[in-house]
Amino acid sequence: MIPHISSRPRRTLVLAAALAALAFGAPAALAGTAPVSPAGIPGTSAPAAKAQAPAPTSQSATWAAGTRAYVVITAAGDSSAVRSAVTANGGTVFSYYDQIGVIVAHSTSSAFAATMRGVSGVQKVGATRTSDVPADAYNPALPANPSQSTTPAGETVRADMSQIKADQAWAVNPGSPSVKVGILDTGVDDQHQDLAPNFNAADSASCAYGKADTRVGAWRDVGTHGTHVAGSVAAAKNGKGVVGVAPGVKISSVRVAEPGTSLFFAENTICAFVWSGDHGFKVTNNSYYTDPWQFNCPDNVDQAAIIEGVKRAQEYAESKGSLQVAAAGNENYDLANKTTDSASPNDSTPTTRTITNACLDIPTELPGVVTVAANGTGTTKASFSNFGQGVIDVAAPGSNVYSTVPGGSYSSMSGTSMASPHVAGVAALIASANPTFTPAQIRTALATQANDTACPSDNRCKGTTANNGFFGEGQVDALKAVGGSTPPPTGKYFENLTDVTIPDNTTVNSAITVSGVTGNAPTTLKVGVDIKHTYIGDLKVDLVAPDGSVYVLSNRTGGSTDNIVQTFTVNASSEVANGVWTLRVNDNANQDTGKIDAWNLTF
């Protein structure tokens, strides 16, 4: 059995922090090959996150031994009568979600579930754990805020990014800051030098224990897993560390894992999906299974309620425009041919039980969720990756993935946990290139754009080259996601990563010298612009050709919106390509300032 690592935040099989130490001078605490122990994480003085609706009812602040958690399933709508019944039958209402008909209840009574199943209006009731609810649930401690190390300049293009052509996609469209990706995981170090530029604190929270905690820092990492996942999705293209698949999008952290155990119970996942829908996440990444059951079986009354509650929450999020991407798991297990489960329940004493395909790995196997297998080197199957014809949707790199870890550091990890965020990043690029796409359309695009990957000589791989149990529709393609079909021609891509400050009422310039290009510029010269500014309505942005001709890219449009991260197309066919091209930015007002972060030309 693959090492569990915190519920299977699907998880990390290799953590080569020594690589980080060698390359970037990581702290000695991370130097080694053993997994980093869960510690607290990140910190920022960002504004508090928005409150979740509906507000949970009050509950006892006094913890009692033997307190267990339950999901009570009702019809969607007003649940006040059932909530009253919870109280009348020896329980307390910890939180509730009337929009999907789910109540999270606590009780010390061993008869609570059976009694509630007989209450009018109750459809299902299930215990969500085989262990007590921790006392921390009633007064959660904030995760620690680690000190941050710094990384010297230099941004290695990772092999996994080249494998899915993300490095080529960045030149076309690095992702839109209007696209929000939810990292549903162990939390995220929001102060990490490679994550802070893209971190969205306003839509971040903790859903540990099943109720949104919007205090500043509640979203921070109680391990390392979530921060690593976040870097693969959207580490900033800032000249240091690493670059994520979609370095222009925004990421929010919804911490699902509980501290200490790093387990992801059903009520936590339900809270996280409802939060994702209500806060406009276009994509969420889910590199975990819902604890304590590796597979939830509908013939078990508790597990049937868990399936229903999480399913409703996922459907709610999707109805609000959110696509869920999930890791397939690390047990080298055929999800299309289930026979046994020896890992459950993982919050007490696991036993071996016989199961069938009716038993579901959730959220991975819920309808509408994109299930991701891991590639090893190239387009091979990673040895640990789960598989299954009709279950796996797409594949992505998942072996020795180098990404961010708390405290400003970097490490390598392996697992389908590492493959899934590559797909979430590609989904975010599709959403950036196609802002009106629904979750179903993004899901279809991921499948149709994936590169077919044939079965190896392995009789466990069922299906065709176009769709099989190891790779699904194939390996995702970031370049296709942004509308590209071939790489930018060699030698015809030029970039300036030097920051240029933009003061008030000032004109600044950033230059790129183009050489080695024959003839004139094309009719479709691509001008990629990354300007960080707190009020882009102040800005006029021009491209100045070598002969002084001016092409207006943006003229004080966008109002109070932050940042211009966009690729413009210019007909520059009358201009000789070789020479000094200039990005000229004119700030026309007081108070708001910024900088040219980077810009590029593709001929």
Side-chain angles (χ1 to χ4, degrees):
M1 183 65 65
I2 297 299
H4 188 90
I5 308 187
S6 125
S7 143
R8 158 168 149 195
R10 281 205 127 147
R11 241 52 169 219
T12 336
L13 308 177
V14 177
L15 175 51
L19 253 149
L22 290 172
F24 295 112
L30 290 180
T33 56
V36 172
S37 299
I41 300 307
T44 183
S45 299
K50 300 173 185 175
Q52 176 176 346
T57 58
S58 62
Q59 72 286 321
S60 170
T62 303
W63 176 83
T67 298
R68 295 293 171 90
Y70 302 85
V71 286
V72 180
I73 309 297
T74 73
D78 182 9
S79 67
S80 56
V82 176
R83 282 183 272 128
S84 295
V86 167
T87 303
N89 287 288
T92 58
V93 174
F94 188 75
S95 61
Y96 66 94
Y97 304 92
D98 277 357
Q99 59 270 62
I100 60 172
V102 174
I103 299 167
V104 179
H106 289 175
S107 180
T108 58
S109 170
S110 60
F112 176 78
T115 303
M116 286 301 300
R117 290 181 188 120
V119 170
S120 176
V122 172
Q123 299 173 0
K124 288 180 171 65
V125 179
T128 63
R129 48 183 92 204
T130 63
S131 57
D132 288 359
V133 175
D136 185 65
Y138 296 103
N139 186 23
L142 288 173
N145 182 2
S147 59
Q148 299 290 317
S149 61
T150 57
T151 293
E155 213 165 37
T156 303
V157 176
R158 295 158 29 178
D160 54 313
M161 293 298 162
S162 298
Q163 189 169 322
I164 63 170
K165 301 178 187 158
D167 54 340
Q168 298 171 22
W170 302 329
V172 180
N173 184 344
S176 168
S178 66
V179 171
K180 293 189 281 189
V181 179
I183 310 299
L184 279 50
D185 214 289
T186 62
V188 174
D189 181 353
D190 51 311
Q191 289 191 344
H192 193 291
Q193 59 198 341
D194 245 352
L195 301 178
N198 292 333
F199 191 80
N200 172 20
D203 293 306
S204 295
S206 168
C207 272
Y209 310 115
K211 180 171 61 177
D213 181 350
T214 61
R215 292 176 297 164
V216 172
W219 59 74
R220 292 175 183 148
D221 211 329
V222 294
T224 60
H225 191 269
T227 300
H228 195 278
V229 164
S232 287
V233 174
K237 198 170 189 298
N238 56 3
K240 53 190 170 185
V242 297
V243 187
V245 175
V249 306
K250 295 296 183 184
I251 50 174
S252 297
S253 171
V254 183
R255 178 163 65 84
V256 185
E258 296 181 6
T261 63
S262 284
L263 295 181
F264 294 64
F265 292 102
E267 60 268 36
N268 310 4
T269 304
I270 290 166
C271 168
F273 281 156
V274 173
W275 179 276
S276 299
D278 287 343
H279 287 257
F281 296 171
K282 197 70 175 176
V283 182
T284 71
N285 186 81
N286 303 270
S287 290
Y288 60 91
Y289 69 72
T290 302
D291 299 296
W293 306 101
Q294 182 173 11
F295 299 102
N296 284 270
C297 299
D299 60 356
N300 176 289
V301 288
D302 291 317
Q303 294 163 39
I306 290 172
I307 293 171
E308 182 65 20
V310 177
K311 177 174 175 287
R312 288 189 187 188
Q314 193 290 122
E315 289 172 343
Y316 177 81
E318 182 162 346
S319 75
K320 293 285 191 175
S322 178
L323 175 69
Q324 277 58 253
V325 177
N330 302 330
E331 290 75 35
N332 192 24
Y333 192 96
D334 186 352
L335 296 174
N337 185 31
K338 301 186 185 86
T339 56
T340 59
D341 173 12
S342 299
S344 307
N346 62 11
D347 66 335
S348 54
T349 304
T351 61
T352 298
R353 57 178 177 153
T354 300
I355 63 171
T356 69
N357 285 348
C359 301
L360 301 178
D361 177 339
I362 60 174
T364 297
E365 290 189 275
L366 291 177
V369 175
V370 176
T371 304
V372 182
N375 290 129
T377 303
T379 53
T380 62
K381 172 190 173 296
S383 61
F384 50 79
S385 181
N386 285 354
F387 58 97
Q389 187 177 15
V391 179
I392 302 301
D393 292 308
V394 290
S399 294
N400 294 317
V401 173
Y402 188 74
S403 187
T404 49
V405 292
S409 298
Y410 303 83
S411 285
S412 291
M413 298 185 188
S414 293
T416 56
S417 278
M418 284 61 254
S420 183
H422 287 79
V423 177
V426 172
L429 291 179
I430 292 171
S432 298
N434 305 276
T436 64
F437 268 23
T438 64
Q441 288 173 310
I442 299 173
R443 198 161 49 238
T444 298
L446 281 169
T448 58
Q449 293 171 1
N451 296 308
D452 291 346
T453 308
C455 283
S457 297
D458 188 329
N459 60 16
R460 298 175 304 162
C461 187
K462 311 297 183 184
T464 65
T465 298
N467 191 321
N468 58 64
F470 275 14
F471 311 110
E473 297 282 351
Q475 185 170 261
V476 291
D477 190 312
L479 185 58
K480 290 179 183 176
V482 294
S485 57
T486 59
T490 302
K492 295 187 178 181
Y493 174 74
F494 303 87
E495 185 174 43
N496 188 335
L497 296 174
T498 302
D499 291 353
V500 178
T501 301
I502 308 171
D504 284 329
N505 294 298
T506 303
T507 298
V508 298
N509 298 290
S510 179
I512 289 176
T513 300
V514 173
S515 61
V517 180
T518 303
N520 286 7
T523 58
T524 57
L525 177 65
K526 302 294 184 184
V527 186
V529 174
D530 185 351
I531 295 174
K532 301 296 193 296
H533 197 279
T534 52
Y535 197 99
I536 66 174
D538 290 355
L539 303 181
K540 183 173 183 290
V541 183
D542 301 318
L543 175 68
V544 182
D547 69 353
S549 299
V550 177
Y551 298 85
V552 178
L553 303 180
S554 179
N555 191 1
R556 306 196 70 178
T557 57
S560 60
T561 306
D562 291 351
N563 307 332
I564 302 176
V565 183
Q566 186 175 346
T567 299
F568 300 90
T569 302
V570 173
N571 182 353
S573 57
S574 63
E575 307 293 339
V576 173
N578 292 336
V580 177
W581 295 75
T582 302
L583 187 71
R584 184 171 66 195
V585 180
N586 175 224
D587 184 298
N588 292 277
N590 292 319
Q591 296 184 347
D592 291 274
T593 60
K595 66 178 179 179
I596 302 173
D597 202 357
W599 73 288
N600 58 67
L601 294 169
T602 305
F603 287 82

